[in-house]
Amino acid sequence: MTTPRKSPSPSMSSYENAPTRSVSVRGEDFAYRELGPEDGVPLILLMHLAGVLDNWDPRVVDGLAARRRVIAFDNRGVGGSKGSTPDTIEAMARDAVLFIRALGFGQVDLLGLSMGGFVAQVISEEEPRLVRKVILAGTGPAGGPGIDKVPSLTIRATLKGALTRQDPKLSLFFTETAGGRQAGHAFLGRLKERTRNRDKDISLPSFRAQLKAVKQWGRQAPSDLSDVRQPVLVANGENDRMVPSQNTLDLAARLPRSELVPLYPDAGHGGIFQYHDEFVTKALRFLGS
């Protein structure tokens, strides 16, 4: 077990009321929340494009924190974190490593969602001793088909959402079926459960920097990933329109020690939120094995 030197004791409360804390990372404060038991290897959550602390599904966080110490944080310059947001995935990965070490951890597990999955891949390759196990959800390898189109797709959905007064995550994260729409509205309702001390939305400059990073990741030469030696759990919905689901299958095939969760039916980019109970059960079993 690795005990942090500088981090306060984690909150045993739910994610809905977990306090927002900060830690200095090379002179800039990074905002984070943590909860769950103090023992064991901590699980670091790496967020999707434009996401802040309040965009994690509390059912996923609370479910994982029932047995694991879970830590979510805002990337540099995003939400409550200070500084200038990097415009490459590699720089985001370096920031995440600095954040982890600022909390005093010598070994962690990672859960990377979408863009956070890109970051998790880089960390796993560049810091093999730091990372024990990895969960990759709704994500794909560098150069994966369709990933370079995520920025334009996101911008179109955001503009359409503003015109129709509909949260763009409904169309980006969930299918257009009755089941998908129902799951999407339920997810958005859960995101509103926290009513006090909410995080700041991402700023436009930070959003632009992340869009640039994602586009660049999608246009890089395809990743080999054969040197990622950690056990990796790979999950997604069967109809991901942001990071096409074929990337999930490709990841599982490329990673030497991967375990593929059967793609969630009638689900898209937010598959782990739509099937939160099943995902949490699978994730805890994987992390505990």
Side-chain angles (χ1 to χ4, degrees), residues 190-228:
R190 296 194 296 273
L191 294 189
K192 296 176 182 177
E193 290 175 354
R194 185 183 180 100
T195 58
R196 300 179 61 186
N197 301 315
R198 290 184 62 85
D199 203 1
K200 301 176 182 177
D201 290 335
I202 191 170
S203 68
L204 184 56
S206 292
F207 184 43
R208 287 172 174 164
Q210 289 190 350
L211 289 172
K212 181 179 178 180
V214 170
K215 189 171 186 178
Q216 183 183 63
W217 178 265
R219 292 185 172 179
Q220 289 180 20
S223 300
D224 176 41
L225 298 178
S226 63
D227 57 346
V228 176

Side-chain angles (χ1 to χ4, degrees), residues 56-89:
W56 283 109
D57 190 331
R59 297 300 178 275
V60 169
V61 180
D62 288 350
L64 294 170
R67 288 169 51 188
R68 299 299 304 270
R69 185 175 193 172
V70 177
I71 301 173
F73 75 102
D74 281 332
N75 294 311
R76 184 184 297 274
V78 176
S81 292
K82 307 302 181 183
S84 179
T85 301
D87 60 5
T88 68
I89 298 299

Side-chain angles (χ1 to χ4, degrees), residues 175 236-241 244-246 248 262-269 271 275:
T175 63
N236 200 1
E238 66 181 6
N239 189 27
D240 187 341
R241 62 189 297 257
S245 302
Q246 66 189 93
T248 301
L263 298 181
Y264 296 119
D266 191 22
H269 198 59
Y275 287 84

Side-chain angles (χ1 to χ4, degrees), residues 81-155:
S81 292
K82 307 302 181 183
S84 179
T85 301
D87 60 5
T88 68
I89 298 299
E90 292 75 15
M92 293 180 195
R94 289 192 292 271
D95 278 345
V97 171
L98 290 172
F99 167 77
I100 291 166
R101 290 185 169 148
L103 291 180
F105 296 121
Q107 188 178 56
V108 297
D109 294 329
L110 302 176
L111 165 54
L113 173 61
S114 190
M115 185 186 75
F118 307 159
V119 174
Q121 291 173 58
V122 174
I123 298 174
S124 300
E125 287 186 297
E126 296 187 351
E127 301 286 344
R129 294 183 179 180
L130 180 64
V131 180
R132 188 186 70 112
K133 291 188 176 184
V134 185
I135 302 174
L136 299 175
T139 193
I147 293 177
D148 64 335
K149 297 179 174 59
V150 169
S152 59
L153 182 66
T154 302
I155 291 172

Side-chain angles (χ1 to χ4, degrees), residues 158-171:
T158 301
L159 293 174
K160 181 180 178 181
L163 292 173
T164 61
R165 297 184 179 181
Q166 176 177 281
D167 193 309
K169 286 189 285 294
L170 280 177
S171 62

